[in-house]
Amino acid sequence: MENDQDKIINNVTSGEYKYGFHSDIEIDSIPKGLNEDVIRNISLRKEEPEWLLEYRLEAFRHWQTMTIPQWANLKIPDIDFQDIIYYAAPKKKQGGSQHANSIDPELKKTFEKLGIPLEEQNHLAGVAVDAVMDSVSVKTTFKEILAEEGIIFSSFSDAVKEYPDLVRRYLGTVVPHTDNFFAALNSAVFSDGSFCYIPKGVRCPMELSTYFRINAANTGQFERTLLIADEESYVSYLEGCTAPMRDENQLHAAIVEIIVENNAEVKYSTVQNWYPGDKEGKGGIFNFVTKRGLCRGENSKISWTQVETGSSITWKYPSCILKGDNSTGEFYSVAVTNNYQQADTGTKMIHIGRNTKSTIVSKGISAGHAQNSYRGLVRVLKKASGSRNFSQCDSLLLGDKCGAHTFPYIEVDNQTSIVEHEATTSKIGEDQIFYCNQRGISTEDAIGLIVNGYAREILNKLPMEFAVEAQKLLQISLEGSVG
Amino acid sequence: MNVHNDCRERYHKLYEKNIEKIKAKSSPYVNACREPAFEKFMQLGIPTTKNENYRYTDLSHFFNYDYKNYFLPGREDFLKAEQFRCNVPDLDTHGIILLNGFYPTLTDKLRELPGGIMVGSLNEAAKTFGDKIAQHYNRFINGDSDGLVHLNTAMAFDGIFVYVPSGVKLQKPVQVVNLVDSDNDIFNQHRNLIIVEKNADLTLIICDHTLSPQKFLTNAVTEVYVGEDSHFDIIRVQNEHNNAAKITHTFIHQEKNSTASSNNITLHGGLVRNSTHHFLGGEGAECSAYGLYLSDKFQHIDNYINVNHAFPNCRSNQLFKGVLDDMAKGVFNGRIYVMKDAQGTVAYQKNNSILLTDDAVMDTKPQLEIYADDVKCSHGATIGQLDEDALFYLQSRGIDRREAQLMLMFAFAHEVIQNINVEALRERMDSLVMQRLRGELSRCANCMVKCG
Amino acid sequence: MLIISNLKAAINEKNILKGVSLEVKAGEIHAIMGPNGSGKSTLAAVIAGRDLARITEGTVTFMGKNLLEMTPEERARQGLFLGFQYPIEIPGVSMMNFMKTAVNEQRKYKGLDPLSASDFLKIMREKKELVGIDSKLTNRSVNEGFSGGEKKKNEIFQMAMLEPKLAILDETDSGLDIDALRIVANGVNKLKTPDSSVIVITHYQRLLDFIIPDVVHVLYDGRIVRTAGKELALELEDKGYDWIRKEIETSGLS
């Protein structure tokens, strides 16, 4: 019986990575290595203004004084930062501009294969996409329709050219280049990403999304997203990512900054599905991401939802700085680790304003030899009277070789606030499986059902199109892992 | 970084200056542990807030300070100890006194109680019970990240030794009255070793008091071995003045089917740091770790608790509660660690704190680290205020709001106190907690238990 | 004894009581009935001094004094008792300590010495018998682990201990089976003196079979829409609240 179960677990968790293909696209890249010349070269290729180059160089100089953070519950192999290509772009066809309608058919095919059609008429209604491959944005859809509402949605590079003042005003204000090792690195070498500005009083009529694809080998991806929601506005933003299967590890170090003004709301959803490495733990993406939102205005709100199934190592703490009175921060997360994946993920909720509220719901699922940690900080400052936090962090273990860990930090400096944290760790319920078996459901299906039920609360927070995708992803991630 | 190095240098000098004196009167086995321990200390140093386990507790104020250190007691110390009486009503115990880290009697340094139980000076026991010492001394500590444990091993001279042979169940608790009293600012490091053999039973009460208002720093290590099928309770009552720092490290090693509990009641103290380690080192072992902290003014109380499930089918429970007033700071750092094959683990952890002012601070870090899958683990932490509905209910029965608050705070604290299995002590604690909450114990240069 | 006039109260900007007027004289038993959400429990809470609702208008006098100026404990010491719909569990506070504190606070207010331990125990024993509460319950923490019926009996026991001039029983019958209901009602009747008054707040008529009211009020949408003798309760039982609702709507009162 035990053995049978182990076998089934094994089957359920050993599913194949569906997006591991490589596209044969001609690449224009710069040589491996990192130094000031490389940074100047990136900046030059992107035709950037002087101030941005200065920003990059300052970040780079700071980065050189830093060391890789060791505090996470992760075994991070040595990364040789000189052995990475910091800029790789699909080659522009002779005579055609990259952002015109003449997209390389191979590129188009790649994104189609990923389920992201670049032609607007083929696209899911109501979703605008910025498609990023390696270091550049290849296409941003529905730009014109959005512009009618005054919404700016473009690649980061275009935004630097078209709205330099906006970019300059907000860049690095939420995540300064000194924030941490990977943030400094990103600030020095970031290539592309998305820029989004929702003007005062506008409710964005469609979902905005960015799709990140790593394609070139030996390349690092360092994208940067900047999202500004002006007063009384609303936007729902989605982010997805995949990479080819390769034996060597690839580095991804991104920054997302969000600024939310009075009465505005941003909903940011991520389905992270970078290549997780193979069953022996070979290859996969090292995913080191700094995501942070500033609820600057009163009654502002940021809601992070993430489904983390990919990457060999995930190091990621989407956070909210609740500065405006009555502002709200939410963090909903499902993190699945299987085989030799490691994840150290969670959030920070910094309560600065009065009557600020935060909710944290984190569900970790660990299988195979994986290690899955929740790490979170709830800090209530002295002036944040009447603030509330509730955190619930649950871990589910599938199999006896994996680990699940919970590291909450709670720092309260205010008497009228209430902070509650609860966490549980348990094995998947044998009586639940038995109950399903007794009703004629196979153990494999039962586990699928139970895991999905377990993650339901989070999946329900995702926009429809993503929720279905995420649910499938959960099943695939755990395929062949069950017991 | 400089401060850090200076600090290490200070203790290096102290070691050089005193080690020969200390060694001259210690047993060879204990002496053999000193040098390697000091080397480890020199690597690790005095913990700073960069050390994850000391993240919220800054020790530098007490460690970067020149104490008049002395490592051997004088005659006047013995006289002082003779005068001390503990007056908890009806508390019937085998009492022993430790003064400034020494066992302060000239004769009778080891007492034999019925059943072959030995109680007395560790320094003396190390000479007469060499084999027991070799078996257990310095075996259960875990100082991987804590230089202070090694500093103690390197320089501690004396402390308490208790030995309970197999099959012996001591009915009366052993009570250690741990006094610090001096005309000088002193730094004391003592070491206790408690051995409870198979199928035996021991309750140990440790009362920490300061009797004079000088600046004191204590760094104490207690090692406990709990044999198969045995039962051990340790209750520590801390009542020191605001200029005293007390750092305790308690390592409880439990064998198969043993049960143990630790209970740290901190009523008063300038800086208190209790680290308690329960190592469940045999199948079916169970432990409970309790703590209560009541603090005000600028007091700082830090409880670090580490429960290590190394074998299958063990159970553990942690409950730490506290009330923080004025500018006091509370820290809870709890850890449940479940090792790879510790299947069938059941482990709980709870930390509840009440803040009475906006200047009080509570930092809590409950952690679960789990490497086995057949486990039931949970933790919960809350920081907040008294329940308004309960307050109203009491008020609606004619009870004054202030009184209602006190009743609720008392009830809150009682959840920890009720786990003390020595009735007389439990009752005494209840009344001390009530007095403490009423603010009647805030002047505390003289001991709260009104002893001596 | 109790005079409420034009009392208005709001919770989170929502008006719950929209002008309640009511007078209870010494010795009377009043029943306040009404559908869910009509404001019955809010009225009880406001009289007892729970600050969840904000009073926007009106006065409440009790024994000639302005009740709204008093803290909840002052109201209690004046002789006002609220039997809670959901009695609060207070872990760690023993029933004994709780009642002793409450009784002695009241005595202190009246200028009496605190009761000796033996006198207190004697009174506890008497009252326990009077209301038929299991003596084990009084050895536990306040309401902790009590069943629904035990909690309600405990409320009546506390009422017996505190001997109020006016007792407001908020849905004391909810969640009780018929035997428990009879015990609770008997307790209330035994405790009733010619000078003391009771307000029974209830949904159903059945409690009023045991505690016979002198006056019955119907509270609907924050107002008292009808006041009559005990026969009104029977009529309501017969026709339900819809009947009242329709009448009000047709008369354009609401």
Side-chain angles (χ1 to χ4, degrees):
Chain A
M1 187 62 196
E2 272 292 292
N3 263 340
D4 278 3
Q5 263 195 16
D6 284 349
K7 224 181 274 164
I8 295 171
I9 288 203
N10 228 4
N11 288 335
V12 175
T13 48
S14 62
E16 294 293 319
Y17 186 68
K18 279 205 304 189
Y19 310 98
F21 63 89
H22 166 77
S23 315
D24 209 1
I25 296 170
E26 254 192 289
I27 295 290
D28 175 19
S29 67
I30 61 175
K32 277 183 186 174
L34 183 57
N35 52 46
E36 292 203 4
D37 288 341
V38 167
I39 290 165
R40 284 177 210 283
N41 193 343
I42 293 173
S43 192
L44 186 71
R45 276 163 190 264
K46 301 179 84 70
E47 299 159 18
E48 284 176 356
E50 188 59 25
W51 64 266
L52 193 51
L53 174 63
E54 277 311 310
Y55 180 83
R56 288 175 180 278
L57 290 172
E58 202 184 326
F60 176 68
R61 286 166 199 150
H62 189 78
W63 177 74
Q64 287 175 303
T65 68
M66 301 174 96
T67 51
I68 224 172
Q70 296 295 344
W71 43 261
N73 190 27
L74 299 169
K75 288 194 182 99
I76 306 172
D78 284 342
I79 299 170
D80 182 354
F81 289 95
Q82 297 304 333
D83 195 34
I84 294 170
I85 295 170
Y86 287 87
Y87 184 88
K91 218 171 215 165
K92 292 176 191 173
K93 291 277 159 195
Q94 284 294 323
S97 105
Q98 187 180 316
H99 257 239
N101 286 330
S102 58
I103 304 169
D104 182 338
E106 189 63 31
L107 260 177
K108 220 189 278 181
K109 229 164 74 193
T110 302
F111 279 98
E112 253 155 41
K113 224 165 146 185
L114 296 167
I116 316 289
L118 297 181
E119 304 287 343
E120 286 173 11
Q121 60 270 34
N122 296 338
H123 206 274
L124 283 167
V127 183
V129 181
D130 181 22
V132 177
M133 184 178 284
D134 297 327
S135 302
V136 295
S137 166
V138 293
K139 167 87 184 173
T140 308
T141 64
F142 294 108
K143 259 176 112 163
E144 294 73 23
I145 295 176
L146 292 167
E148 283 168 24
E149 302 262 4
I151 295 168
I152 304 170
F153 179 49
S154 75
S155 75
F156 204 93
S157 312
D158 288 352
V160 169
K161 287 182 193 131
E162 291 164 37
Y163 313 97
D165 294 344
L166 267 181
V167 174
R168 195 172 180 181
R169 191 187 320 156
Y170 290 106
L171 180 73
T173 56
V174 186
V175 181
H177 70 269
T178 50
D179 193 77
N180 67 69
F181 183 83
F182 295 107
L185 177 63
N186 176 288
S187 300
V189 303
F190 70 87
S191 35
D192 217 335
S194 304
F195 175 83
C196 173
Y197 174 82
I198 315 289
K200 204 167 162 178
V202 172
R203 216 185 142 80
C204 186
M206 56 178 78
E207 309 271 352
L208 301 188
S209 80
T210 309
Y211 194 92
F212 297 105
R213 171 75 178 171
I214 295 178
N215 190 50
N218 306 316
T219 321
Q221 177 145 328
F222 306 93
E223 85 271 1
R224 181 124 196 163
T225 301
L226 181 55
L227 210 162
I228 300 134
D230 214 331
E231 291 181 19
E232 322 266 337
S233 69
Y234 168 85
V235 65
S236 167
Y237 199 91
L238 324 171
E239 179 192 79
C241 39
T242 55
M245 290 199 264
R246 289 210 173 86
D247 282 352
E248 67 275 15
N249 299 110
Q250 275 179 284
L251 180 65
H252 170 249
I255 290 181
V256 176
E257 294 181 278
I258 302 178
I259 295 116
V260 190
E261 303 289 3
N262 288 346
N263 303 308
E265 179 180 348
V266 172
K267 199 169 145 56
Y268 197 104
S269 313
T270 305
V271 175
Q272 188 264 104
N273 188 25
W274 294 118
Y275 176 53
D278 69 6
K279 273 172 232 163
E280 274 71 50
K282 208 166 179 198
I285 302 292
F286 293 162
N287 187 32
F288 297 95
V289 177
T290 306
K291 291 185 171 182
R292 194 173 302 152
L294 170 64
C295 281
R296 186 149 70 182
E298 286 177 23
N299 302 309
S300 56
K301 181 175 174 185
I302 293 175
S303 183
W304 296 103
T305 304
Q306 61 173 26
V307 176
E308 300 282 315
T309 60
S311 296
S312 140
I313 294 177
T314 299
W315 179 101
K316 179 180 174 193
Y317 316 90
S319 303
C320 299
I321 299 170
L322 304 170
K323 197 167 171 216
D325 291 349
N326 306 309
S327 59
T328 304
E330 294 176 339
F331 174 75
Y332 300 100
S333 167
V334 183
V336 184
T337 49
N338 194 3
N339 300 321
Y340 286 87
Q341 277 177 279
Q342 306 177 63
D344 194 292
T345 181
T347 183
K348 286 195 252 185
M349 294 289 175
I350 313 294
H351 293 255
I352 300 173
R354 271 177 288 180
N355 298 315
T356 46
K357 285 179 193 61
S358 64
T359 306
I360 299 170
V361 181
S362 161
K363 307 267 179 185
I365 300 160
S366 204
H369 293 83
Q371 299 296 336
N372 197 326
S373 302
Y374 166 81
R375 184 180 304 275
L377 169 69
V378 175
R379 178 181 290 157
V380 182
L381 278 79
K382 202 179 288 289
K383 288 188 179 146
S385 49
S387 293
R388 297 279 179 276
N389 159 267
F390 176 74
S391 307
Q392 168 82 47
C393 308
D394 295 327
S395 303
L396 194 63
L397 292 148
L398 306 180
D400 60 0
K401 290 177 188 68
C402 51
H405 321 292
T406 316
F407 304 101
Y409 293 70
I410 305 166
E411 305 174 2
V412 181
D413 213 344
N414 178 286
Q415 175 213 351
T416 54
S417 298
I418 296 176
V419 174
E420 288 174 86
H421 169 93
E422 284 172 20
T424 60
T425 304
S426 56
K427 190 183 174 173
I428 193 161
E430 267 164 22
D431 41 356
Q432 290 173 327
I433 294 175
F434 175 74
Y435 189 81
C436 294
N437 289 157
Q438 207 286 321
R439 297 293 184 264
I441 300 165
S442 73
T443 300
E444 189 159 343
D445 287 350
I447 286 160
L449 276 176
I450 294 164
V451 167
N452 259 309
Y454 176 77
R456 166 96 8 219
E457 198 182 342
I458 312 299
L459 298 180
N460 281 346
K461 303 281 174 191
L462 289 172
M464 250 307 252
E465 304 81 14
F466 258 37
V468 179
E469 187 61 27
Q471 189 171 338
K472 275 191 241 153
L473 208 56
L474 269 189
Q475 225 127 2
I476 293 165
S477 296
L478 286 172
E479 240 165 55
S481 82
V482 181
Chain B
M1 213 54 193
N2 270 333
V3 173
H4 198 93
N5 287 336
D6 286 353
C7 208
R8 229 175 286 199
E9 203 35 54
R10 176 191 301 275
Y11 292 94
H12 191 225
K13 278 188 198 142
L14 191 69
Y15 180 79
E16 300 277 287
K17 205 173 134 197
N18 293 285
I19 192 63
E20 289 314 319
K21 224 176 356 171
I22 294 169
K23 273 183 164 175
K25 299 201 171 184
S26 303
S27 82
Y29 187 83
V30 170
N31 280 340
C33 302
R34 295 188 190 279
E35 205 167 311
F38 196 74
E39 271 168 29
K40 274 191 195 146
F41 166 75
M42 286 305 284
Q43 283 162 23
L44 293 165
I46 303 290
T48 67
T49 49
K50 291 224 169 95
N51 181 326
E52 187 60 29
N53 295 340
Y54 284 86
R55 185 187 174 93
Y56 300 115
T57 297
D58 183 0
L59 301 174
S60 59
H61 172 56
F62 279 95
F63 278 90
N64 285 323
Y65 185 81
D66 283 316
Y67 295 89
K68 182 180 181 299
N69 293 281
Y70 57 93
F71 290 87
L72 300 172
R75 184 159 190 87
E76 66 277 17
D77 298 320
F78 297 131
L79 293 175
K80 250 178 213 159
E82 294 290 318
Q83 287 159 7
F84 186 87
R85 296 283 172 275
C86 174
N87 76 340
V88 176
D90 305 323
L91 182 59
D92 186 11
T93 62
H94 301 287
I96 34 179
I97 288 177
L98 206 58
L99 179 69
N100 302 340
F102 302 103
Y103 194 78
T105 356
L106 290 166
T107 55
D108 199 18
K109 278 185 175 279
L110 267 177
R111 266 194 286 162
E112 183 167 352
L113 304 176
I117 294 167
M118 301 304 301
V119 176
S121 151
L122 177 66
N123 180 272
E124 186 68 19
K127 295 169 190 164
T128 37
F129 292 96
D131 56 329
K132 294 282 167 234
I133 300 294
Q135 224 178 323
H136 298 299
Y137 185 83
N138 210 27
R139 295 279 182 206
F140 310 120
I141 60 159
N142 176 358
D144 287 352
S145 62
D146 196 335
L148 293 179
V149 174
H150 301 296
L151 187 64
N152 180 286
T153 307
M155 298 177 85
F157 173 75
D158 201 0
I160 297 297
F161 173 75
V162 181
Y163 176 77
V164 185
S166 291
V168 176
K169 307 209 166 176
L170 190 57
Q171 300 301 323
K172 274 204 273 184
V174 170
Q175 183 189 13
V176 179
V177 179
N178 202 356
L179 303 175
V180 188
D181 185 6
S182 171
D183 299 331
N184 297 308
D185 295 349
I186 60 169
F187 170 39
N188 106 60
Q189 299 203 72
H190 60 273
R191 178 84 165 214
N192 304 320
L193 177 62
I194 316 295
I195 302 165
V196 183
E197 299 277 23
K198 272 187 196 173
N199 194 27
D201 199 334
L202 173 70
T203 299
L204 181 70
I205 302 168
I206 300 183
C207 304
D208 291 332
H209 302 298
T210 45
L211 297 187
S212 55
Q214 278 68 19
K215 181 162 178 162
F216 297 135
L217 169 61
T218 304
N219 178 38
V221 171
T222 303
E223 284 181 278
V224 183
Y225 172 82
V226 186
E228 224 174 286
D229 299 312
S230 285
H231 179 78
F232 172 74
D233 293 319
I234 180 167
I235 303 149
R236 194 183 271 277
V237 181
Q238 292 173 315
N239 197 357
E240 302 198 325
H241 64 63
N242 286 339
N243 201 20
K246 179 122 235 162
I247 296 156
T248 73
H249 314 262
T250 307
F251 298 93
I252 302 171
H253 178 97
Q254 295 183 235
E255 293 287 351
K256 208 167 131 185
N257 295 323
S258 64
T259 54
S261 78
S262 58
N263 203 329
N264 286 314
I265 313 281
T266 310
L267 295 170
H268 211 280
L271 187 151
V272 177
R273 153 85 180 191
N274 295 314
S275 69
T276 309
H277 304 249
H278 283 268
F279 186 87
L280 300 170
E283 195 163 350
E286 281 188 39
C287 76
S288 306
Y290 304 106
L292 175 67
Y293 41 98
L294 306 174
S295 57
D296 57 12
K297 308 280 164 33
F298 281 99
Q299 296 176 348
H300 181 113
I301 299 173
D302 178 348
N303 277 291
Y304 175 86
I305 162 87
N306 181 14
V307 172
N308 194 331
H309 285 256
F311 281 80
N313 303 315
C314 293
R315 302 172 76 93
S316 69
N317 185 27
Q318 301 175 27
L319 174 67
F320 283 76
K321 300 182 91 171
V323 180
L324 303 160
D325 202 348
D326 299 334
M327 283 129 309
K329 178 161 172 172
V331 179
F332 172 74
N333 203 325
R335 184 163 179 249
I336 295 171
Y337 189 92
V338 179
M339 285 167 73
K340 202 163 155 280
D341 294 312
Q343 301 296 3
T345 290
V346 179
Y348 302 110
Q349 182 185 63
K350 199 166 103 175
N351 174 228
N352 307 118
S353 305
I354 292 177
L355 298 182
L356 298 179
T357 69
D358 269 354
D359 292 317
V361 178
M362 182 70 207
D363 292 329
T364 178
K365 220 180 92 192
Q367 300 175 51
L368 304 173
E369 263 182 89
I370 293 157
Y371 296 91
D373 72 326
D374 187 7
V375 299
K376 265 199 202 92
C377 297
S378 74
H379 68 201
T382 61
I383 301 172
Q385 309 86 46
L386 296 170
D387 177 15
E388 272 301 322
D389 286 331
L391 275 174
F392 175 68
Y393 192 71
L394 293 170
Q395 281 178 279
S396 80
R397 298 299 181 250
I399 297 168
D400 200 67
R401 188 171 169 93
R402 174 72 194 141
E403 193 62 31
Q405 285 169 334
L406 281 171
M407 283 174 93
L408 292 181
M409 278 194 268
F410 177 78
F412 176 81
H414 185 73
E415 202 196 340
V416 173
I417 300 292
Q418 69 183 359
N419 297 296
I420 296 175
N421 61 2
V422 182
E423 197 185 343
L425 184 65
R426 185 171 61 235
E427 285 170 4
R428 181 66 174 164
M429 280 307 119
D430 271 342
S431 86
L432 280 176
V433 165
M434 201 48 171
Q435 286 180 55
R436 178 74 171 105
L437 293 172
R438 284 183 190 282
E440 289 164 11
L441 287 179
S442 58
R443 284 174 300 116
C444 182
N446 33 347
C447 164
M448 263 180 216
V449 197
K450 294 187 192 99
C451 356
Chain C
M1 178 176 281
L2 179 76
I3 302 166
I4 302 173
S5 83
N6 194 31
L7 184 66
K8 295 182 181 176
I11 298 177
N12 296 335
E13 308 310 310
K14 188 172 179 245
N15 295 322
I16 307 293
L17 299 179
K18 300 175 181 174
V20 174
S21 297
L22 184 68
E23 182 174 358
V24 180
K25 296 198 175 73
E28 286 181 347
I29 297 180
H30 285 231
I32 297 177
M33 303 182 71
N36 281 333
S38 58
K40 302 190 299 290
S41 288
T42 304
L43 179 61
V46 164
I47 298 172
R50 182 75 170 112
D51 56 6
L52 286 177
R54 194 168 48 85
I55 293 155
T56 50
E57 210 181 314
T59 57
V60 182
T61 57
F62 179 60
M63 313 288 291
K65 290 180 185 154
N66 182 354
L67 199 64
L68 301 181
E69 281 179 352
M70 295 181 217
T71 62
E73 56 267 37
E74 283 167 346
R75 298 178 202 210
R77 291 170 201 164
Q78 293 281 342
L80 181 76
F81 179 88
L82 172 65
F84 283 59
Q85 182 181 2
Y86 303 108
I88 311 295
E89 296 190 9
I90 311 180
V93 174
S94 74
M95 265 309 290
M96 192 78 86
N97 185 19
F98 170 56
M99 269 296 101
K100 203 169 150 186
T101 311
V103 168
N104 284 333
E105 287 275 354
Q106 196 182 50
R107 289 179 66 87
K108 193 163 86 188
Y109 179 77
K110 289 179 183 160
L112 301 170
D113 287 333
L115 286 174
S116 70
S118 63
D119 285 349
F120 178 75
L121 287 175
K122 197 167 139 246
I123 295 172
M124 280 274 278
R125 206 159 41 238
E126 284 170 17
K127 303 294 185 183
K128 271 196 273 197
E129 276 167 28
L130 186 74
V131 297
I133 188 171
D134 190 337
S135 52
K136 270 181 289 179
L137 292 181
T138 56
N139 291 332
R140 303 223 299 251
S141 290
V142 178
N143 291 323
E144 193 185 34
F146 287 28
S147 72
E150 286 165 349
K151 281 182 183 166
K152 295 300 171 72
K153 271 194 235 170
N154 190 17
E155 294 293 288
I156 303 304
F157 165 69
Q158 292 174 38
M159 176 178 161
M161 290 297 293
L162 295 169
E163 300 178 328
K165 295 195 184 79
L166 171 66
I168 302 168
L169 305 175
D170 187 7
E171 308 233 1
T172 298
D173 52 337
S174 66
L176 294 187
D177 62 33
I178 194 72
D179 290 331
L181 187 70
R182 191 174 284 133
I183 293 168
V184 165
N186 277 342
V188 175
N189 287 331
K190 277 189 225 163
L191 295 170
K192 175 84 183 62
T193 69
D195 298 327
S196 68
S197 312
V198 180
I199 297 175
V200 180
I201 293 176
T202 182
H203 227 57
Y204 304 107
Q205 191 268 337
R206 59 175 198 169
L207 179 64
L208 305 179
D209 286 342
F210 301 102
I211 304 173
I212 315 286
D214 300 306
V215 185
V216 175
H217 309 273
V218 176
L219 189 66
Y220 180 80
D221 191 26
R223 289 186 189 87
I224 289 182
V225 293
R226 184 145 310 177
T227 297
K230 62 175 183 253
E231 64 287 347
L232 178 57
L234 292 167
E235 205 174 348
L236 278 172
E237 181 79 357
D238 230 29
K239 301 182 181 168
Y241 289 111
D242 276 348
W243 156 65
I244 294 245
R245 189 171 297 146
K246 274 181 202 134
E247 277 201 9
I248 293 161
E249 275 157 16
T250 49
S251 70
L253 251 170
S254 82

